Amino acid sequence: MIFICILIFGVLFLFFNIRQIAPGNKGSIVAGAIVVVLPVCFFFRGHFLACLGQDFLSVWLCEALLIYLLWWITRGVLLAVRRRRLERERSIFAARILLVATFVVSFAMCAVGYGIHGDYKIREASIDLPKVVAVSAQAPSPFTILFFSDLHIDPLFDRAKLERMIHDADSLRPDYIVFGGDFADIHDSLLYRDGYDTLVAKFGATARVAALAVNGNHEGYMERQGSAPGEFLKRTGWKFLDDETFCDSLACFTGRTDFQVSRSREVPRKALSELAPKPAPFPATSLSDSAASLADSAQSVVENFRPWIVVDHQPKGIEPEHTGRLPDLVLSGHTHDGQFFPGTVIIDWVWRLAYGVGELDGVKWLVSSGVGSWGPPVRVGSETEMWLLRLR
């Protein structure tokens, strides 16, 4: 709701400033045309030209707001010093110069940011697991995770980028590949049509043990349009964890249902304590009751030493009411690290942990800036990435 209010204010603010480029109705017509194009492009985003228009106008909207705000501050200072307003002719001339400046700056941002967006980085980090003591006969084996988030496949998505990701994953051969949500902004029927099912299946097959995925807020948007991104990922060989926990001999992974998906379905998310790994039943057919009880306790302790990794698209932290075991690591995306200026500055005011390896509510947490971008494929002040994590 806050985002919608800010967006409405921004559009009205821009309309008021742009209409000053010409007297009378002429300025209002030009301002109205520019303002109306953005929602029209957004509505028809599935088409290439509309997608292209919306991507550019998204950058323009941010940069234009910043430029006009700076102009209002400058004009206020000049008025305080000179105690005289600009003459009408000069005011119109300044409005035209400012409008041109907004488009020039936006084109420059797109030109520079497109290259940065396409050149993703592979970052590496080592995560220390809890030490094993006493009852555990064997320490957890070290393993690797290739983590990425926010792919955002759309009509402008560069297919070659996904092919390069597959090549890198094949070279790294991680034990697990984990996807943190926001897979595509187009219907799954288009994903099948364009052959993404083959590519995604090939990507998942590069994992030694398993390829895991969760939903993000954009999966909620796409489900409302009749798409089924979760089913798409399942059919391509990925384990899609939708408020579910998957365990094997190395680790346990819990995939949380995204908050937006939960609201869209009108089904609350499961409690984290409900998703925590449960000890496997210990066979005790030949044991006495007391021995069986002791064996169950031992099994429970050993099970607790299996690393527990949670994947939650939005890094909102652990729910306050949670009791019991905490995850050893949580993986998130969503923030894009602000994506481009000035979002890269504002983002740290919005999230407690907007990017990188840190801690939330006493839990080690990694927030990725994502390997893709929503809207414009533009990065200025942030970078696209995948993370190679070594858990030991």
Side-chain angles (χ1 to χ4, degrees), residues 206-270:
T206 62
R208 292 178 182 270
V209 180
L212 313 170
V214 303
N215 52 38
N217 57 306
H218 282 247
E219 272 66 61
Y221 305 145
M222 296 312 301
E223 284 183 6
R224 288 206 301 267
Q225 298 177 31
S227 184
E231 287 301 315
F232 176 89
L233 287 165
K234 287 179 182 179
R235 290 179 181 178
T236 54
W238 292 62
K239 293 184 182 296
F240 189 74
L241 302 178
D242 192 358
D243 259 357
E244 299 171 71
T245 297
F246 161 79
C247 291
D248 60 20
S249 60
L250 290 177
C252 289
F253 291 85
T254 294
R256 304 301 308 271
T257 297
D258 182 72
F259 293 93
Q260 180 62 46
V261 174
S262 174
R263 284 193 292 269
S264 298
R265 296 174 180 171
E266 297 183 347
V267 176
R269 302 202 324 165
K270 291 181 181 179

Side-chain angles (χ1 to χ4, degrees), residues 14 17 38 78 88 109 115 124 128 136 153 160 175 192 219 230-231 251 256 278 281 352 358-359:
L14 289 175
N17 282 276
L38 180 57
L78 291 175
R88 183 170 180 77
M109 289 279 287
E124 299 186 24
D128 291 327
S136 179
I153 297 174
D175 294 299
Y192 288 114
E219 272 66 61
E231 287 301 315
R256 304 301 308 271
K278 303 297 190 297
R352 289 183 291 158
E359 188 174 291

Side-chain angles (χ1 to χ4, degrees), residues 36 59 72 80 84 87 125 136 143 154 171 202 216 392:
V36 166
V59 176
W72 273 74
R84 186 178 63 184
E87 293 83 357
S136 179
F143 57 92
D154 67 8
S171 299
K202 187 177 180 181
R392 52 190 188 182

Side-chain angles (χ1 to χ4, degrees), residues 16-23 26-28 30-31 34 68 91-100:
F16 176 79
N17 282 276
I18 296 172
R19 69 189 294 269
Q20 297 181 48
I21 65 171
K26 292 181 180 179
S28 298
V30 173
I34 293 175
Y68 281 118
S91 180
I92 293 174
F93 179 75
R96 291 173 178 175
I97 293 295
L98 285 170
L99 181 60
V100 171

Side-chain angles (χ1 to χ4, degrees), residues 23-94:
N25 292 332
K26 292 181 180 179
S28 298
I29 292 172
V30 173
I34 293 175
V35 167
V36 166
V37 168
L38 180 57
V40 169
C41 288
F42 183 84
F43 186 77
F44 294 102
R45 180 176 170 77
H47 300 277
F48 178 81
L49 290 178
C51 186
L52 185 64
Q54 191 225 328
D55 287 356
F56 173 75
L57 288 173
S58 297
V59 176
W60 173 82
L61 180 66
C62 296
E63 306 314 311
L65 282 172
L66 183 62
I67 289 173
Y68 281 118
L69 283 171
L70 291 174
W71 167 242
W72 273 74
I73 293 171
T74 302
R75 193 168 62 175
V77 171
L78 291 175
L79 179 61
V81 173
R82 298 174 58 186
R83 299 186 181 279
R84 186 178 63 184
R85 296 182 180 275
L86 286 175
E87 293 83 357
R88 183 170 180 77
E89 291 77 11
R90 290 188 176 183
S91 180
I92 293 174
F93 179 75

